[in-house]
Amino acid sequence: TILVSIFVLHPSIFQGGMMAFKCINFGGQFFLYREPDIPCFSKEHKKWAFSVGLIDLLGWGIISPLIAFVIIRKLAKKDQLEDKQQQSVYGFLYFGYKKEYYYWDLSLIHI
C-alpha cells in the first residue's frame, strides 16, 4: 500500500533532502556536496537548502511520522490495535511490540 511505501522510502528520501545542507571542503573552501560548483552559505546554496532541504526535513522528517503517530495513538486509545482491519493497514508500524509500546517503531525513525 501507499503507507508502507512511504515508510520504506522514508530514510532514503529524508537522507536525500538532508544533502541540501551537506558541504565538503575543497582547498579550504566549502561547496555543496551534491553540486560542487555551488559555494556553501552562498545565496544559491541558501535557496537550495531552504527550498529542498527544509521542506524535506519538515515533510519527511517531522510531519509524516507525526501523522502516523497520531493515527496509531487514536487506535490505541480506542483499543483498536488488535482489530483485524486496522492491523492490515497500520499493523506494520506496531507489530512485534507490546501493546503499551505501540509507538516505538515511529520513534526509531529518527534514530
Side-chain angles (χ1 to χ4, degrees), residues 93-102 104-105 108:
L93 293 171
Y94 59 85
F95 277 158
Y97 298 104
K98 291 182 181 178
K99 192 175 179 180
E100 62 269 18
Y101 300 115
Y102 63 88
W104 190 247
D105 195 51
L108 293 177

Side-chain angles (χ1 to χ4, degrees), residues 16-58:
M18 294 309 296
M19 287 294 169
F21 297 102
K22 185 174 181 178
C23 295
I24 53 175
N25 187 347
F26 282 124
Q29 197 172 12
F30 288 91
F31 294 91
L32 189 57
Y33 181 78
R34 287 271 169 113
E35 296 289 332
D37 58 326
I38 300 175
C40 283
F41 314 110
S42 66
K43 188 175 182 179
E44 192 174 357
H45 174 231
K46 289 176 185 175
K47 183 174 83 174
W48 177 260
F50 286 108
S51 64
V52 175
L54 196 58
I55 290 170
D56 186 68
L57 177 63
L58 292 174

Side-chain angles (χ1 to χ4, degrees), residues 73-91:
R73 184 179 166 128
K74 283 182 181 180
L75 293 176
K77 284 188 172 196
K78 293 178 181 178
D79 201 30
Q80 293 182 340
L81 290 176
E82 295 177 14
D83 179 76
K84 295 294 181 196
Q85 184 178 358
Q86 302 300 342
Q87 283 181 347
S88 68
V89 178
Y90 304 109

